[in-house]
Amino acid sequence: PFEEDEKNPAVWFLDHNYVDTMRDMFKKVNAKERIVGWYHNGPKLRSSDLQISELFKRYTPNPVLVVIDVQPKAIGIPTDAYFAVEDIHDDGTAATKTFEHVPSEIGAEEAEEIGVEHLLRDIKDNSVGTLATRVTHQLTSLRGLAERLAEIRAYLQQVLDDKLPVNSEIIQNLQDIFNLLPNLAIPDDASAFTVQTNDEYALIYVSAMARSIIALHDLINNKIENRQAELEADAKENETKAQPEVEAK
């Protein structure tokens, strides 16, 4: 639990007892787990983050700060990780603490992945077709690819303008990426890619049509069953009304 004065960010409160209690509870469940840092919902760094990181050194020597954007707008994982490092000034002044960004990724153990798969299977939206879901995923992937290519282009342009030094490791990775790209200048390769793509699109189209026909078929059967049920109910009601009339006569 954390509270901060809206008018003065320098005034804040962190519940150490809660952190200690949660740490002791997690140790009872899994003694191998260790506290490696802390997080907040950002979306950016705050002025009090360095002071909080100093407090978390009682749990780990070099705590990691993870800033989580709960309303992400960019493509990619909505997290940024930072380490607190000392910034040594060339003018001889005292060193100051600052945050250094470190690359991060989100992963899960096998048991957690299985649990998430079962959860997603239970909350699957049946109103959204698999075709629409697949197109949405492909669109998201293409947007992410466009952003990565833009970053590569901006880096190479800065290298050409002598704004950044040449990094041989990055250049080697880029060369590996380009080597993995297919050579579409060869007619046979281009024809093979076209045939495979058309086959995949044909399969998606046929699957979508089959699903639509099955859904319409089920709808018609449902209407027929409802109509028969209504007729049977009307017939029973007429029989019930006719019996008192016969007894009266």
Side-chain angles (χ1 to χ4, degrees):
F2 175 80
E3 294 183 3
E4 185 180 42
D5 190 352
E6 297 180 356
K7 298 181 180 180
N8 186 8
V11 180
W12 51 271
F13 167 74
L14 178 65
D15 192 350
H16 301 116
N17 295 329
Y18 175 82
V19 178
D20 294 335
T21 303
M22 294 300 296
R23 180 191 60 179
D24 296 338
M25 292 176 60
F26 278 115
K27 278 188 176 181
K28 294 179 181 179
V29 178
N30 189 352
K32 295 181 180 180
E33 290 186 356
R34 297 289 185 273
I35 295 179
V36 297
W38 61 288
Y39 71 93
H40 65 72
N41 56 2
K44 296 181 180 180
L45 292 172
R46 299 175 180 174
S47 57
S48 59
D49 290 343
L50 285 173
Q51 301 175 9
I52 300 175
S53 291
E54 290 295 325
L55 290 178
F56 270 90
K57 285 186 177 181
R58 61 187 296 186
Y59 306 107
T60 180
N62 194 8
V64 181
L65 166 60
V66 178
V67 180
I68 302 175
D69 189 359
V70 295
Q71 295 179 346
K73 297 180 181 179
I75 303 298
I77 60 175
T79 60
D80 289 307
Y82 301 91
F83 273 121
V85 296
E86 289 188 354
D87 186 10
I88 301 176
H89 303 284
D90 297 334
D91 55 1
T93 56
T96 57
K97 289 282 188 178
T98 184
F99 281 114
E100 180 179 352
H101 184 270
V102 292
S104 60
E105 62 181 7
I106 298 177
E109 296 182 355
E110 184 178 0
E112 295 174 335
E113 292 180 353
I114 294 174
V116 172
E117 289 178 0
H118 283 288
L119 178 62
L120 294 177
R121 189 180 296 112
D122 294 336
I123 64 175
K124 182 179 179 181
D125 188 0
N126 294 324
S127 62
V128 180
T130 55
L131 178 60
T133 304
R134 184 170 180 177
V135 171
T136 302
H137 291 169
Q138 289 184 348
L139 180 60
T140 304
S141 301
L142 290 175
R143 288 177 177 173
L145 177 60
E147 289 189 1
R148 300 299 180 270
L149 292 176
E151 291 179 1
I152 294 174
R153 181 181 180 277
Y155 168 76
L156 294 177
Q157 187 63 44
Q158 291 181 356
V159 172
L160 289 175
D161 297 339
D162 294 332
K163 295 181 180 179
L164 290 176
V166 178
N167 190 318
S168 59
E169 185 177 357
I170 295 178
I171 300 300
Q172 184 178 358
N173 291 333
L174 292 178
Q175 187 63 47
D176 293 338
I177 293 174
F178 294 142
N179 291 336
L180 293 174
L181 294 176
N183 187 7
L184 298 179
I186 302 175
D188 294 339
D189 293 346
S191 177
F193 275 105
T194 303
V195 171
Q196 183 179 0
T197 303
N198 291 338
D199 292 342
E200 292 179 354
Y201 285 159
L203 179 61
I204 295 174
Y205 175 75
V206 172
S207 301
M209 291 293 295
R211 185 180 179 197
S212 300
I213 294 173
I214 293 173
L216 292 173
H217 189 267
D218 293 339
L219 178 61
I220 293 173
N221 289 337
N222 189 24
K223 288 187 175 182
I224 293 174
E225 292 176 358
N226 292 337
R227 182 57 179 169
Q228 290 178 351
E230 291 177 358
L231 293 176
E232 293 176 358
D234 293 340
K236 290 181 179 180
E237 185 177 356
N238 293 332
E239 292 178 358
T240 304
K241 292 180 179 179
Q243 289 179 357
E245 294 178 357
V246 172
E247 293 177 356
K249 291 179 179 179

